[in-house]
């Protein structure tokens, strides 16, 4: 059988990288020839996790069809978040925890999505269902993924299953989830070495709803003012991205990981629609989002509903 | 929590009915208030299975949004195969074994699709994963579903998992899978009491690919001549369906369940494209399909590929 690439989404976060590694390993143990790859740069948080558990980053690719016929997607399903040439290969499996959209196949496939906080939580089940033991360093990466996606269990996306999975994985990995987790999140929230371009693209995802195209970028920070103080430099960059990609809306979210609040910069011709969706008005293009930390659960559905009318 | 309806596809087959019943029961045991419903008439084969295992048919509905806010789909995911108002409710779970298409959600959900021969095979796993015991009569219905979808294990869609699941279910149900299965298939292949309208709608599904809309109906027969002898009466009916629904193609397939061959009537402006896709030509609108028994695996992907060019 020829090789199958296992890939997460563009602008990879810790879950996408850890899940690509963990699922590629599991499928390899089940007899498939796999390789984990990534579609973008490793962020500070993920670099911290990889370093901590002594694991190398997956190989960087942007296209896949020149080297394989089949791929497995983890932590995403929407085609605009995947490899540029995803339509030219066969997706044989998906393991994900996001909404399903812009995804279709000609043939039946294995598609395992569950409404939990992290792909790694589902992968832990798959390891058990297939009776494969999790190596210590992969358990550490999977734990890192859960901590990252759940903001150390504080996000509303975090379920009991995620907390339970993190407990089991921390034990295998031999670390204290809280201590290690806070250190990892802080490493990720260190934005001092980031250019403005990096800030808006590090963890950014494109979406479509009711014919509108929008992008939502999110950065974690210890102090959101560090980010928002750069508003006047950020705005022209966002405007250019909107023009280049033909977007209707760009929402740039800075999340205070210690207090679980967010502030967003909102630009594009649907900016007011977005603000209204959050039952408030833009002040100098800014939107205060108290209690909001989850793009998936607290931002995307709200904007999607607003567009669908 | 308010009630959740569990529904299979339009023109229900045995898997759709059995899986709606079996999954509604499982979710009920897991604490959800559920009711299995159906979107169309019970066919002869399913009636035989329900009668054999002493189970009543689920309630018939065409719309769902007047009575519930949330539904679970089994044995399908494409919206045109679902309730007419499926867009007006939230799909909270899907358990299926078909390609994924025309499906999207605003929120994450539980979506469990596997490339096996029958939804009931996946449901057996879910019963085990949740440690719920399968009642004898539901095991009998799930076995019936596997026999139906796999044409007694002869379809190329049938996997080792389906065969293994059927074995376990036959044991719980207390029947001989082969003997019971052949009797059930024969009951389903008795077309003598069917009107022409029923023949073309009993097990018919609509699809879309590359902007083309097509419908593929399939009937099982002991002797396909019984069906094909009515070609001259069938054609005007198919033409009318094409016109009414604005289809580009209608493929009416009669499958010889004893010898595993099919003959199709092919009409619509894309009829020649379809014939070419099967590397043959239409003879008097007929297409011989030796060895073809599976719409899902041997017909839909071939037509889809042809349309995508
Ligand atoms: Mn994730
Ligand atoms: Mn089925």
């Amino acid at each position: 059988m020829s090789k199958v690439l296992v890939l997460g989404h563009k602008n990879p976060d810790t879950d996408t990288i850890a899940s690509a590694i963990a699922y590629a390993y599991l499928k390899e143990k089940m007899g498939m020839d796999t390789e984990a790859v990534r579609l973008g740069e490793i962020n500070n948080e993920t670099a911290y996790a990889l370093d901590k558990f002594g694991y190398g980053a997956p190989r960087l690719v942007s296209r896949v069809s020149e080297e394989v016929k089949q791929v497995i997607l983890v932590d995403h399903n929407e085609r605009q978040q995947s490899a540029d040439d995803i339509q030219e290969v066969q997706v044989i499996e998906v393991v994900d925890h996001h909404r399903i959209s812009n995804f279709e196949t000609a043939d039946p496939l294995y598609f395992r999505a569950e409404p939990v906080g992290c792909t790694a939580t589902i992968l832990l089940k798959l390891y058990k269902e297939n009776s494969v033991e999790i190596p210590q360093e992969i358990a550490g990466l999977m734990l890192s993924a859960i901590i990252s996606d759940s903001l150390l269990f504080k996000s509303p996306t975090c379920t009991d299953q995620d907390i339970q999975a993190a407990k089991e994985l921390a034990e295998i990995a031999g670390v204290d989830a809280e201590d290690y987790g806070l250190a990892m999140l802080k490493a990720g929230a260190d934005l001092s070495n980031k250019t403005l371009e990096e800030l808006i693209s590090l963890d950014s995802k494109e979406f479509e709803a009711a014919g509108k195209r929008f992008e939502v970028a999110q950065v974690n920070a210890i102090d959101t003012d560090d980010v928002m103080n750069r508003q006047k430099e950020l705005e022209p960059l966002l405007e250019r991205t909107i023009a280049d990609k033909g977007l209707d809306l760009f929402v740039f979210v800075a999340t205070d990981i210690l207090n679980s609040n967010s502030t967003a910069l909102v630009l594009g011709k649907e900016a007011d629609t977005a603000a209204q969706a959050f039952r408030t008005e833009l002040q100098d293009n800014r939107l205060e989002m108290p209690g909001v930390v989850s793009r998936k659960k607290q931002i995307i559905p709200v904007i999607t509903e607003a567009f669908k009318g």
Side-chain angles (χ1 to χ4, degrees), chain A residues 61-134:
Chain A
V61 302
S62 64
R63 296 175 54 86
V64 291
S65 63
E66 282 84 11
E67 45 174 326
V68 294
K69 290 202 167 58
Q70 298 183 317
V71 300
I72 290 174
L73 308 185
V74 293
D75 200 35
H76 75 297
N77 67 82
E78 304 194 36
R79 75 176 73 94
Q80 75 278 9
Q81 296 169 4
S82 200
D84 291 335
D85 58 347
I86 193 68
Q87 309 265 51
E88 292 163 42
V89 293
Q90 187 190 9
V91 177
I92 56 170
E93 296 194 24
V94 177
V95 182
D96 191 14
H97 66 126
H98 296 88
R99 72 166 191 175
I100 296 169
S101 189
N102 293 311
F103 181 84
E104 64 169 33
T105 59
D107 294 288
L109 77 163
Y110 186 89
F111 195 115
R112 179 80 169 251
E114 301 195 19
V116 293
C118 182
T119 304
T121 301
I122 307 168
L123 291 181
L124 176 59
K125 293 188 195 187
L126 294 182
Y127 269 88
K128 290 179 181 175
E129 288 170 19
N130 293 287
S131 306
V132 173
E133 209 175 317
I134 308 180

Side-chain angles (χ1 to χ4, degrees), chain A residues 165-178:
Chain A
K167 239 179 234 166
E168 291 180 40
L169 291 164
E171 195 140 313
I172 301 171
V175 297
D176 179 277
E178 295 284 335

